[in-house]
Amino acid sequence: METELPGTGEGTAGLIEADEAHHVEMGDDYGDESYVAGAYRVPGENGDWTLVLGFDGGLGIATPCVETLSKGGRVVAPSTNGGKPIHLFHWFEDGELRTTFESPSARHGSTPDELVHLLREVGFPLTSEGEHDDSAPDVDRKAAGLALADRLTGIRVTDSLLQDAAYELGLVPEQPAEEWTSVVIDITDAHGERLYREWTYEKIAAASDRTRAEANAPVVITSNEPPAVDRSAHGPGE
């Protein structure tokens, strides 16, 4: 993960203290996305695993990094952003993204349907074909994501497991922004109505330049009414 190693931390309290100290050091640089992560060894399926806990905003560590980490092994990464929650799940195997999703019925990756039976087993409301099942009860997606990670690693993440760990701390540097060519909005509402829009980088750049030019243009105030006459210097009747 290309981290700098600032030391160790005892339990989640030590990890949180180190992360908060890092943000204090960064001051008002709110755009910086570096963060402190803690790692430690824990027994799981087929041997020991490295469990990593980090406060990265909840969107998971950068894909190129995870692809490298999973070479010759497996990386399973459930994450959440808190607040109005976005719960994401990523499963990498030998450098390949096998399955990822926010909504379990909209899966992506090289094998998006391989985990359908496990998704159903941990409570996600899916049919046997992997479609959303309106008749099934809803589920706590954060809890279900952790349960799915349990199935794939043999590690049950509990409060005591995280709180009692002796973490090796690492300062994860800000990742370079990925190049992009377009932005797509694809939303289907509760009535089945779909909104699909795609904007290319060129269109967005042109709109940004136009907005910037308009914002920097001089402000001209005009009026169709004649100017008021100032009579303060004239005497009565003049």
mmCIF file of all heavy atoms in Angstrom, residues 91-140:
data_model
loop_
_atom_site.group_PDB
_atom_site.id
_atom_site.type_symbol
_atom_site.label_atom_id
_atom_site.label_comp_id
_atom_site.label_asym_id
_atom_site.label_seq_id
_atom_site.Cartn_x
_atom_site.Cartn_y
_atom_site.Cartn_z
ATOM 1 N N TRP A 91 -14.323 -8.199 -4.052
ATOM 2 C CA TRP A 91 -13.634 -9.488 -3.912
ATOM 3 C C TRP A 91 -12.645 -9.622 -5.071
ATOM 4 O O TRP A 91 -13.020 -9.641 -6.232
ATOM 5 C CB TRP A 91 -14.643 -10.641 -3.923
ATOM 6 C CG TRP A 91 -14.036 -11.996 -4.135
ATOM 7 C CD1 TRP A 91 -12.855 -12.473 -3.623
ATOM 8 C CD2 TRP A 91 -14.566 -13.066 -4.930
ATOM 9 N NE1 TRP A 91 -12.618 -13.748 -4.029
ATOM 10 C CE2 TRP A 91 -13.657 -14.146 -4.842
ATOM 11 C CE3 TRP A 91 -15.718 -13.215 -5.683
ATOM 12 C CZ2 TRP A 91 -13.873 -15.355 -5.498
ATOM 13 C CZ3 TRP A 91 -15.933 -14.413 -6.341
ATOM 14 C CH2 TRP A 91 -15.021 -15.471 -6.241
ATOM 15 N N PHE A 92 -11.355 -9.695 -4.707
ATOM 16 C CA PHE A 92 -10.271 -9.877 -5.671
ATOM 17 C C PHE A 92 -9.644 -11.258 -5.479
ATOM 18 O O PHE A 92 -9.466 -11.718 -4.341
ATOM 19 C CB PHE A 92 -9.178 -8.831 -5.472
ATOM 20 C CG PHE A 92 -9.575 -7.438 -5.848
ATOM 21 C CD1 PHE A 92 -10.284 -6.639 -4.962
ATOM 22 C CD2 PHE A 92 -9.217 -6.900 -7.075
ATOM 23 C CE1 PHE A 92 -10.640 -5.350 -5.288
ATOM 24 C CE2 PHE A 92 -9.570 -5.613 -7.416
ATOM 25 C CZ PHE A 92 -10.285 -4.835 -6.524
ATOM 26 N N GLU A 93 -9.285 -11.881 -6.581
ATOM 27 C CA GLU A 93 -8.641 -13.190 -6.535
ATOM 28 C C GLU A 93 -7.483 -13.186 -7.537
ATOM 29 O O GLU A 93 -7.687 -12.974 -8.738
ATOM 30 C CB GLU A 93 -9.640 -14.289 -6.894
ATOM 31 C CG GLU A 93 -9.192 -15.685 -6.524
ATOM 32 C CD GLU A 93 -9.549 -16.077 -5.097
ATOM 33 O OE1 GLU A 93 -10.407 -15.408 -4.491
ATOM 34 O OE2 GLU A 93 -8.967 -17.049 -4.588
ATOM 35 N N ASP A 94 -6.263 -13.360 -7.013
ATOM 36 C CA ASP A 94 -5.073 -13.457 -7.857
ATOM 37 C C ASP A 94 -4.990 -12.285 -8.845
ATOM 38 O O ASP A 94 -4.770 -12.471 -10.040
ATOM 39 C CB ASP A 94 -5.048 -14.783 -8.610
ATOM 40 C CG ASP A 94 -3.659 -15.087 -9.184
ATOM 41 O OD1 ASP A 94 -2.665 -14.489 -8.712
ATOM 42 O OD2 ASP A 94 -3.568 -15.921 -10.097
ATOM 43 N N GLY A 95 -5.146 -11.083 -8.336
ATOM 44 C CA GLY A 95 -5.000 -9.891 -9.153
ATOM 45 C C GLY A 95 -6.197 -9.518 -9.990
ATOM 46 O O GLY A 95 -6.133 -8.556 -10.768
ATOM 47 N N GLU A 96 -7.314 -10.215 -9.829
ATOM 48 C CA GLU A 96 -8.488 -9.985 -10.668
ATOM 49 C C GLU A 96 -9.692 -9.614 -9.805
ATOM 50 O O GLU A 96 -9.952 -10.262 -8.790
ATOM 51 C CB GLU A 96 -8.796 -11.243 -11.477
ATOM 52 C CG GLU A 96 -9.987 -11.116 -12.404
ATOM 53 C CD GLU A 96 -10.250 -12.413 -13.167
ATOM 54 O OE1 GLU A 96 -10.130 -13.506 -12.562
ATOM 55 O OE2 GLU A 96 -10.569 -12.324 -14.357
ATOM 56 N N LEU A 97 -10.415 -8.561 -10.207
ATOM 57 C CA LEU A 97 -11.637 -8.196 -9.516
ATOM 58 C C LEU A 97 -12.735 -9.154 -9.940
ATOM 59 O O LEU A 97 -13.213 -9.124 -11.070
ATOM 60 C CB LEU A 97 -12.045 -6.758 -9.860
ATOM 61 C CG LEU A 97 -13.360 -6.254 -9.258
ATOM 62 C CD1 LEU A 97 -13.336 -6.333 -7.731
ATOM 63 C CD2 LEU A 97 -13.657 -4.834 -9.720
ATOM 64 N N ARG A 98 -13.139 -10.021 -9.019
ATOM 65 C CA ARG A 98 -14.115 -11.056 -9.354
ATOM 66 C C ARG A 98 -15.547 -10.562 -9.194
ATOM 67 O O ARG A 98 -16.391 -10.795 -10.064
ATOM 68 C CB ARG A 98 -13.874 -12.294 -8.469
ATOM 69 C CG ARG A 98 -12.498 -12.920 -8.641
ATOM 70 C CD ARG A 98 -12.409 -13.681 -9.952
ATOM 71 N NE ARG A 98 -13.302 -14.822 -9.940
ATOM 72 C CZ ARG A 98 -12.968 -16.023 -9.429
ATOM 73 N NH1 ARG A 98 -11.774 -16.216 -8.903
ATOM 74 N NH2 ARG A 98 -13.835 -17.007 -9.478
ATOM 75 N N THR A 99 -15.842 -9.905 -8.073
ATOM 76 C CA THR A 99 -17.203 -9.411 -7.835
ATOM 77 C C THR A 99 -17.134 -8.140 -7.005
ATOM 78 O O THR A 99 -16.415 -8.079 -6.005
ATOM 79 C CB THR A 99 -18.070 -10.437 -7.089
ATOM 80 O OG1 THR A 99 -18.115 -11.652 -7.820
ATOM 81 C CG2 THR A 99 -19.497 -9.915 -6.908
ATOM 82 N N THR A 100 -17.895 -7.129 -7.429
ATOM 83 C CA THR A 100 -18.042 -5.917 -6.631
ATOM 84 C C THR A 100 -19.467 -5.409 -6.782
ATOM 85 O O THR A 100 -20.103 -5.611 -7.822
ATOM 86 C CB THR A 100 -17.044 -4.823 -7.069
ATOM 87 O OG1 THR A 100 -17.208 -3.669 -6.225
ATOM 88 C CG2 THR A 100 -17.267 -4.407 -8.513
ATOM 89 N N PHE A 101 -19.975 -4.761 -5.735
ATOM 90 C CA PHE A 101 -21.335 -4.221 -5.805
ATOM 91 C C PHE A 101 -21.563 -3.223 -4.681
ATOM 92 O O PHE A 101 -20.883 -3.235 -3.658
ATOM 93 C CB PHE A 101 -22.386 -5.335 -5.722
ATOM 94 C CG PHE A 101 -22.354 -6.132 -4.442
ATOM 95 C CD1 PHE A 101 -23.045 -5.705 -3.316
ATOM 96 C CD2 PHE A 101 -21.628 -7.312 -4.362
ATOM 97 C CE1 PHE A 101 -23.011 -6.440 -2.132
ATOM 98 C CE2 PHE A 101 -21.589 -8.058 -3.195
ATOM 99 C CZ PHE A 101 -22.283 -7.625 -2.079
ATOM 100 N N GLU A 102 -22.515 -2.320 -4.931
ATOM 101 C CA GLU A 102 -23.153 -1.548 -3.865
ATOM 102 C C GLU A 102 -24.521 -2.150 -3.619
ATOM 103 O O GLU A 102 -24.825 -2.584 -2.521
ATOM 104 C CB GLU A 102 -23.267 -0.074 -4.237
ATOM 105 C CG GLU A 102 -23.974 0.744 -3.161
ATOM 106 C CD GLU A 102 -24.212 2.180 -3.563
ATOM 107 O OE1 GLU A 102 -23.702 2.619 -4.611
ATOM 108 O OE2 GLU A 102 -24.945 2.861 -2.816
ATOM 109 N N SER A 103 -25.328 -2.218 -4.661
ATOM 110 C CA SER A 103 -26.582 -2.965 -4.588
ATOM 111 C C SER A 103 -26.302 -4.394 -5.043
ATOM 112 O O SER A 103 -25.739 -4.609 -6.118
ATOM 113 C CB SER A 103 -27.631 -2.329 -5.497
ATOM 114 O OG SER A 103 -28.767 -3.156 -5.597
ATOM 115 N N PRO A 104 -26.653 -5.397 -4.252
ATOM 116 C CA PRO A 104 -26.306 -6.784 -4.607
ATOM 117 C C PRO A 104 -26.946 -7.267 -5.901
ATOM 118 O O PRO A 104 -26.473 -8.244 -6.482
ATOM 119 C CB PRO A 104 -26.809 -7.589 -3.410
ATOM 120 C CG PRO A 104 -27.847 -6.728 -2.767
ATOM 121 C CD PRO A 104 -27.401 -5.316 -2.987
ATOM 122 N N SER A 105 -27.992 -6.593 -6.373
ATOM 123 C CA SER A 105 -28.609 -7.001 -7.634
ATOM 124 C C SER A 105 -27.922 -6.366 -8.837
ATOM 125 O O SER A 105 -28.248 -6.695 -9.981
ATOM 126 C CB SER A 105 -30.095 -6.637 -7.638
ATOM 127 O OG SER A 105 -30.269 -5.240 -7.475
ATOM 128 N N ALA A 106 -26.970 -5.443 -8.589
ATOM 129 C CA ALA A 106 -26.211 -4.798 -9.673
ATOM 130 C C ALA A 106 -24.734 -5.078 -9.444
ATOM 131 O O ALA A 106 -23.999 -4.242 -8.938
ATOM 132 C CB ALA A 106 -26.497 -3.304 -9.710
ATOM 133 N N ARG A 107 -24.320 -6.279 -9.792
ATOM 134 C CA ARG A 107 -22.957 -6.736 -9.525
ATOM 135 C C ARG A 107 -22.084 -6.563 -10.767
ATOM 136 O O ARG A 107 -22.550 -6.635 -11.896
ATOM 137 C CB ARG A 107 -22.988 -8.217 -9.108
ATOM 138 C CG ARG A 107 -23.863 -8.493 -7.906
ATOM 139 C CD ARG A 107 -24.019 -9.990 -7.657
ATOM 140 N NE ARG A 107 -24.601 -10.690 -8.802
ATOM 141 C CZ ARG A 107 -25.899 -10.752 -9.069
ATOM 142 N NH1 ARG A 107 -26.759 -10.153 -8.268
ATOM 143 N NH2 ARG A 107 -26.345 -11.400 -10.130
ATOM 144 N N HIS A 108 -20.782 -6.377 -10.523
ATOM 145 C CA HIS A 108 -19.831 -6.225 -11.609
ATOM 146 C C HIS A 108 -18.592 -7.062 -11.288
ATOM 147 O O HIS A 108 -18.435 -7.570 -10.188
ATOM 148 C CB HIS A 108 -19.443 -4.755 -11.793
ATOM 149 C CG HIS A 108 -20.615 -3.846 -11.992
ATOM 150 N ND1 HIS A 108 -21.275 -3.720 -13.184
ATOM 151 C CD2 HIS A 108 -21.277 -3.033 -11.116
ATOM 152 C CE1 HIS A 108 -22.265 -2.869 -13.067
ATOM 153 N NE2 HIS A 108 -22.299 -2.437 -11.808
ATOM 154 N N GLY A 109 -17.708 -7.193 -12.274
ATOM 155 C CA GLY A 109 -16.504 -7.989 -12.111
ATOM 156 C C GLY A 109 -16.453 -9.117 -13.117
ATOM 157 O O GLY A 109 -17.367 -9.299 -13.927
ATOM 158 N N SER A 110 -15.378 -9.914 -13.057
ATOM 159 C CA SER A 110 -15.214 -10.992 -14.030
ATOM 160 C C SER A 110 -16.164 -12.157 -13.773
ATOM 161 O O SER A 110 -16.508 -12.900 -14.696
ATOM 162 C CB SER A 110 -13.765 -11.495 -14.012
ATOM 163 O OG SER A 110 -13.427 -12.014 -12.729
ATOM 164 N N THR A 111 -16.593 -12.351 -12.513
ATOM 165 C CA THR A 111 -17.543 -13.422 -12.178
ATOM 166 C C THR A 111 -18.639 -12.853 -11.276
ATOM 167 O O THR A 111 -18.714 -13.185 -10.092
ATOM 168 C CB THR A 111 -16.838 -14.602 -11.479
ATOM 169 O OG1 THR A 111 -16.197 -14.114 -10.273
ATOM 170 C CG2 THR A 111 -15.798 -15.229 -12.384
ATOM 171 N N PRO A 112 -19.500 -11.985 -11.804
ATOM 172 C CA PRO A 112 -20.464 -11.285 -10.946
ATOM 173 C C PRO A 112 -21.516 -12.178 -10.313
ATOM 174 O O PRO A 112 -22.130 -11.791 -9.318
ATOM 175 C CB PRO A 112 -21.106 -10.280 -11.908
ATOM 176 C CG PRO A 112 -20.930 -10.882 -13.265
ATOM 177 C CD PRO A 112 -19.611 -11.596 -13.211
ATOM 178 N N ASP A 113 -21.741 -13.372 -10.867
ATOM 179 C CA ASP A 113 -22.808 -14.239 -10.347
ATOM 180 C C ASP A 113 -22.303 -15.377 -9.473
ATOM 181 O O ASP A 113 -23.097 -16.157 -8.957
ATOM 182 C CB ASP A 113 -23.618 -14.823 -11.508
ATOM 183 C CG ASP A 113 -24.316 -13.747 -12.311
ATOM 184 O OD1 ASP A 113 -24.620 -12.688 -11.739
ATOM 185 O OD2 ASP A 113 -24.545 -13.963 -13.516
ATOM 186 N N GLU A 114 -20.994 -15.466 -9.296
ATOM 187 C CA GLU A 114 -20.453 -16.617 -8.567
ATOM 188 C C GLU A 114 -20.862 -16.627 -7.096
ATOM 189 O O GLU A 114 -20.956 -17.689 -6.472
ATOM 190 C CB GLU A 114 -18.924 -16.639 -8.687
ATOM 191 C CG GLU A 114 -18.297 -17.883 -8.083
ATOM 192 C CD GLU A 114 -16.825 -18.019 -8.432
ATOM 193 O OE1 GLU A 114 -16.368 -17.330 -9.360
ATOM 194 O OE2 GLU A 114 -16.136 -18.822 -7.771
ATOM 195 N N LEU A 115 -21.119 -15.465 -6.527
ATOM 196 C CA LEU A 115 -21.429 -15.394 -5.094
ATOM 197 C C LEU A 115 -22.920 -15.312 -4.792
ATOM 198 O O LEU A 115 -23.304 -15.084 -3.647
ATOM 199 C CB LEU A 115 -20.732 -14.173 -4.468
ATOM 200 C CG LEU A 115 -19.212 -14.116 -4.571
ATOM 201 C CD1 LEU A 115 -18.693 -12.869 -3.860
ATOM 202 C CD2 LEU A 115 -18.571 -15.362 -3.985
ATOM 203 N N VAL A 116 -23.767 -15.495 -5.802
ATOM 204 C CA VAL A 116 -25.204 -15.329 -5.592
ATOM 205 C C VAL A 116 -25.700 -16.230 -4.462
ATOM 206 O O VAL A 116 -26.493 -15.802 -3.599
ATOM 207 C CB VAL A 116 -25.989 -15.595 -6.892
ATOM 208 C CG1 VAL A 116 -27.487 -15.719 -6.600
ATOM 209 C CG2 VAL A 116 -25.748 -14.464 -7.885
ATOM 210 N N HIS A 117 -25.247 -17.477 -4.433
ATOM 211 C CA HIS A 117 -25.730 -18.387 -3.380
ATOM 212 C C HIS A 117 -25.304 -17.902 -1.999
ATOM 213 O O HIS A 117 -26.053 -18.034 -1.016
ATOM 214 C CB HIS A 117 -25.220 -19.806 -3.632
ATOM 215 C CG HIS A 117 -23.750 -19.981 -3.478
ATOM 216 N ND1 HIS A 117 -22.829 -19.412 -4.354
ATOM 217 C CD2 HIS A 117 -23.027 -20.652 -2.530
ATOM 218 C CE1 HIS A 117 -21.606 -19.736 -3.958
ATOM 219 N NE2 HIS A 117 -21.700 -20.478 -2.863
ATOM 220 N N LEU A 118 -24.092 -17.324 -1.883
ATOM 221 C CA LEU A 118 -23.649 -16.795 -0.597
ATOM 222 C C LEU A 118 -24.385 -15.495 -0.247
ATOM 223 O O LEU A 118 -24.702 -15.253 0.920
ATOM 224 C CB LEU A 118 -22.141 -16.543 -0.625
ATOM 225 C CG LEU A 118 -21.248 -17.781 -0.649
ATOM 226 C CD1 LEU A 118 -19.776 -17.377 -0.702
ATOM 227 C CD2 LEU A 118 -21.498 -18.657 0.580
ATOM 228 N N LEU A 119 -24.637 -14.662 -1.250
ATOM 229 C CA LEU A 119 -25.393 -13.436 -1.009
ATOM 230 C C LEU A 119 -26.768 -13.761 -0.431
ATOM 231 O O LEU A 119 -27.243 -13.113 0.515
ATOM 232 C CB LEU A 119 -25.536 -12.647 -2.306
ATOM 233 C CG LEU A 119 -24.264 -11.971 -2.844
ATOM 234 C CD1 LEU A 119 -24.457 -11.546 -4.290
ATOM 235 C CD2 LEU A 119 -23.900 -10.772 -1.990
ATOM 236 N N ARG A 120 -27.418 -14.760 -0.997
ATOM 237 C CA ARG A 120 -28.725 -15.177 -0.484
ATOM 238 C C ARG A 120 -28.592 -15.777 0.912
ATOM 239 O O ARG A 120 -29.439 -15.546 1.786
ATOM 240 C CB ARG A 120 -29.358 -16.192 -1.441
ATOM 241 C CG ARG A 120 -29.878 -15.571 -2.728
ATOM 242 C CD ARG A 120 -30.155 -16.623 -3.801
ATOM 243 N NE ARG A 120 -30.956 -17.741 -3.349
ATOM 244 C CZ ARG A 120 -32.293 -17.747 -3.279
ATOM 245 N NH1 ARG A 120 -32.965 -16.652 -3.660
ATOM 246 N NH2 ARG A 120 -32.951 -18.817 -2.871
ATOM 247 N N GLU A 121 -27.520 -16.507 1.134
ATOM 248 C CA GLU A 121 -27.318 -17.179 2.424
ATOM 249 C C GLU A 121 -27.162 -16.177 3.560
ATOM 250 O O GLU A 121 -27.633 -16.417 4.676
ATOM 251 C CB GLU A 121 -26.079 -18.071 2.321
ATOM 252 C CG GLU A 121 -25.805 -18.911 3.544
ATOM 253 C CD GLU A 121 -24.589 -19.803 3.352
ATOM 254 O OE1 GLU A 121 -24.591 -20.604 2.401
ATOM 255 O OE2 GLU A 121 -23.627 -19.673 4.142
ATOM 256 N N VAL A 122 -26.491 -15.040 3.302
ATOM 257 C CA VAL A 122 -26.280 -14.050 4.371
ATOM 258 C C VAL A 122 -27.425 -13.052 4.463
ATOM 259 O O VAL A 122 -27.383 -12.139 5.294
ATOM 260 C CB VAL A 122 -24.946 -13.303 4.181
ATOM 261 C CG1 VAL A 122 -23.780 -14.273 4.234
ATOM 262 C CG2 VAL A 122 -24.931 -12.484 2.897
ATOM 263 N N GLY A 123 -28.456 -13.191 3.612
ATOM 264 C CA GLY A 123 -29.667 -12.409 3.793
ATOM 265 C C GLY A 123 -29.971 -11.362 2.766
ATOM 266 O O GLY A 123 -31.004 -10.676 2.865
ATOM 267 N N PHE A 124 -29.107 -11.170 1.766
ATOM 268 C CA PHE A 124 -29.436 -10.193 0.740
ATOM 269 C C PHE A 124 -30.692 -10.642 -0.011
ATOM 270 O O PHE A 124 -30.833 -11.821 -0.350
ATOM 271 C CB PHE A 124 -28.276 -10.040 -0.248
ATOM 272 C CG PHE A 124 -27.135 -9.218 0.274
ATOM 273 C CD1 PHE A 124 -25.901 -9.806 0.543
ATOM 274 C CD2 PHE A 124 -27.281 -7.851 0.483
ATOM 275 C CE1 PHE A 124 -24.843 -9.050 1.015
ATOM 276 C CE2 PHE A 124 -26.223 -7.091 0.963
ATOM 277 C CZ PHE A 124 -24.996 -7.686 1.232
ATOM 278 N N PRO A 125 -31.626 -9.710 -0.287
ATOM 279 C CA PRO A 125 -32.899 -10.080 -0.924
ATOM 280 C C PRO A 125 -32.744 -10.325 -2.429
ATOM 281 O O PRO A 125 -32.985 -9.445 -3.251
ATOM 282 C CB PRO A 125 -33.792 -8.862 -0.639
ATOM 283 C CG PRO A 125 -32.832 -7.716 -0.534
ATOM 284 C CD PRO A 125 -31.583 -8.278 0.072
ATOM 285 N N LEU A 126 -32.323 -11.522 -2.788
ATOM 286 C CA LEU A 126 -32.108 -11.890 -4.179
ATOM 287 C C LEU A 126 -32.868 -13.164 -4.515
ATOM 288 O O LEU A 126 -33.062 -14.031 -3.651
ATOM 289 C CB LEU A 126 -30.615 -12.115 -4.464
ATOM 290 C CG LEU A 126 -29.663 -10.926 -4.336
ATOM 291 C CD1 LEU A 126 -28.233 -11.392 -4.578
ATOM 292 C CD2 LEU A 126 -30.038 -9.806 -5.291
ATOM 293 N N THR A 127 -33.234 -13.275 -5.779
ATOM 294 C CA THR A 127 -33.770 -14.541 -6.275
ATOM 295 C C THR A 127 -32.609 -15.476 -6.571
ATOM 296 O O THR A 127 -31.442 -15.080 -6.539
ATOM 297 C CB THR A 127 -34.589 -14.309 -7.557
ATOM 298 O OG1 THR A 127 -33.693 -13.868 -8.604
ATOM 299 C CG2 THR A 127 -35.682 -13.270 -7.338
ATOM 300 N N SER A 128 -32.918 -16.731 -6.880
ATOM 301 C CA SER A 128 -31.861 -17.693 -7.205
ATOM 302 C C SER A 128 -31.122 -17.308 -8.479
ATOM 303 O O SER A 128 -29.995 -17.753 -8.708
ATOM 304 C CB SER A 128 -32.459 -19.098 -7.358
ATOM 305 O OG SER A 128 -33.481 -19.105 -8.348
ATOM 306 N N GLU A 129 -31.733 -16.444 -9.322
ATOM 307 C CA GLU A 129 -31.065 -15.968 -10.539
ATOM 308 C C GLU A 129 -30.239 -14.717 -10.279
ATOM 309 O O GLU A 129 -29.607 -14.186 -11.190
ATOM 310 C CB GLU A 129 -32.099 -15.676 -11.630
ATOM 311 C CG GLU A 129 -32.781 -16.906 -12.207
ATOM 312 C CD GLU A 129 -33.856 -17.435 -11.278
ATOM 313 O OE1 GLU A 129 -34.382 -16.627 -10.460
ATOM 314 O OE2 GLU A 129 -34.165 -18.642 -11.343
ATOM 315 N N GLY A 130 -30.266 -14.213 -9.041
ATOM 316 C CA GLY A 130 -29.474 -13.038 -8.706
ATOM 317 C C GLY A 130 -30.168 -11.715 -8.917
ATOM 318 O O GLY A 130 -29.541 -10.657 -8.816
ATOM 319 N N GLU A 131 -31.485 -11.729 -9.180
ATOM 320 C CA GLU A 131 -32.253 -10.504 -9.328
ATOM 321 C C GLU A 131 -32.821 -10.082 -7.971
ATOM 322 O O GLU A 131 -32.910 -10.885 -7.042
ATOM 323 C CB GLU A 131 -33.401 -10.715 -10.325
ATOM 324 C CG GLU A 131 -32.959 -11.155 -11.706
ATOM 325 C CD GLU A 131 -32.130 -10.109 -12.419
ATOM 326 O OE1 GLU A 131 -32.361 -8.907 -12.153
ATOM 327 O OE2 GLU A 131 -31.237 -10.486 -13.212
ATOM 328 N N HIS A 132 -33.202 -8.807 -7.876
ATOM 329 C CA HIS A 132 -33.783 -8.329 -6.618
ATOM 330 C C HIS A 132 -35.111 -9.032 -6.343
ATOM 331 O O HIS A 132 -35.952 -9.179 -7.236
ATOM 332 C CB HIS A 132 -34.006 -6.823 -6.669
ATOM 333 C CG HIS A 132 -34.571 -6.264 -5.407
ATOM 334 N ND1 HIS A 132 -33.820 -6.114 -4.259
ATOM 335 C CD2 HIS A 132 -35.826 -5.838 -5.094
ATOM 336 C CE1 HIS A 132 -34.582 -5.623 -3.306
ATOM 337 N NE2 HIS A 132 -35.798 -5.447 -3.780
ATOM 338 N N ASP A 133 -35.275 -9.487 -5.108
ATOM 339 C CA ASP A 133 -36.490 -10.206 -4.712
ATOM 340 C C ASP A 133 -37.354 -9.281 -3.852
ATOM 341 O O ASP A 133 -37.034 -9.030 -2.686
ATOM 342 C CB ASP A 133 -36.107 -11.459 -3.933
ATOM 343 C CG ASP A 133 -37.307 -12.332 -3.599
ATOM 344 O OD1 ASP A 133 -38.441 -11.915 -3.915
ATOM 345 O OD2 ASP A 133 -37.113 -13.421 -3.030
ATOM 346 N N ASP A 134 -38.428 -8.745 -4.452
ATOM 347 C CA ASP A 134 -39.296 -7.817 -3.732
ATOM 348 C C ASP A 134 -40.016 -8.473 -2.561
ATOM 349 O O ASP A 134 -40.442 -7.791 -1.626
ATOM 350 C CB ASP A 134 -40.341 -7.228 -4.690
ATOM 351 C CG ASP A 134 -39.713 -6.308 -5.726
ATOM 352 O OD1 ASP A 134 -38.720 -5.635 -5.384
ATOM 353 O OD2 ASP A 134 -40.205 -6.282 -6.870
ATOM 354 N N SER A 135 -40.161 -9.781 -2.594
ATOM 355 C CA SER A 135 -40.898 -10.466 -1.535
ATOM 356 C C SER A 135 -40.023 -10.790 -0.324
ATOM 357 O O SER A 135 -40.538 -11.153 0.729
ATOM 358 C CB SER A 135 -41.496 -11.768 -2.081
ATOM 359 O OG SER A 135 -40.468 -12.682 -2.455
ATOM 360 N N ALA A 136 -38.713 -10.661 -0.465
ATOM 361 C CA ALA A 136 -37.795 -10.994 0.634
ATOM 362 C C ALA A 136 -37.638 -9.804 1.570
ATOM 363 O O ALA A 136 -37.703 -8.653 1.133
ATOM 364 C CB ALA A 136 -36.437 -11.412 0.081
ATOM 365 N N PRO A 137 -37.439 -10.039 2.863
ATOM 366 C CA PRO A 137 -37.231 -8.933 3.795
ATOM 367 C C PRO A 137 -35.903 -8.240 3.515
ATOM 368 O O PRO A 137 -34.952 -8.850 3.018
ATOM 369 C CB PRO A 137 -37.221 -9.618 5.171
ATOM 370 C CG PRO A 137 -36.816 -11.028 4.885
ATOM 371 C CD PRO A 137 -37.393 -11.359 3.540
ATOM 372 N N ASP A 138 -35.866 -6.939 3.824
ATOM 373 C CA ASP A 138 -34.626 -6.192 3.646
ATOM 374 C C ASP A 138 -33.626 -6.619 4.711
ATOM 375 O O ASP A 138 -33.968 -7.306 5.671
ATOM 376 C CB ASP A 138 -34.898 -4.691 3.724
ATOM 377 C CG ASP A 138 -33.825 -3.882 3.001
ATOM 378 O OD1 ASP A 138 -32.909 -4.501 2.423
ATOM 379 O OD2 ASP A 138 -33.902 -2.641 3.018
ATOM 380 N N VAL A 139 -32.367 -6.210 4.524
ATOM 381 C CA VAL A 139 -31.306 -6.662 5.408
ATOM 382 C C VAL A 139 -30.381 -5.491 5.711
ATOM 383 O O VAL A 139 -30.298 -4.538 4.929
ATOM 384 C CB VAL A 139 -30.513 -7.822 4.749
ATOM 385 C CG1 VAL A 139 -29.744 -7.315 3.523
ATOM 386 C CG2 VAL A 139 -29.556 -8.481 5.725
ATOM 387 N N ASP A 140 -29.725 -5.535 6.860
ATOM 388 C CA ASP A 140 -28.677 -4.568 7.188
ATOM 389 C C ASP A 140 -27.493 -4.857 6.266
ATOM 390 O O ASP A 140 -26.790 -5.855 6.422
ATOM 391 C CB ASP A 140 -28.270 -4.732 8.655
ATOM 392 C CG ASP A 140 -27.206 -3.729 9.090
ATOM 393 O OD1 ASP A 140 -26.411 -3.280 8.248
ATOM 394 O OD2 ASP A 140 -27.173 -3.401 10.290
#
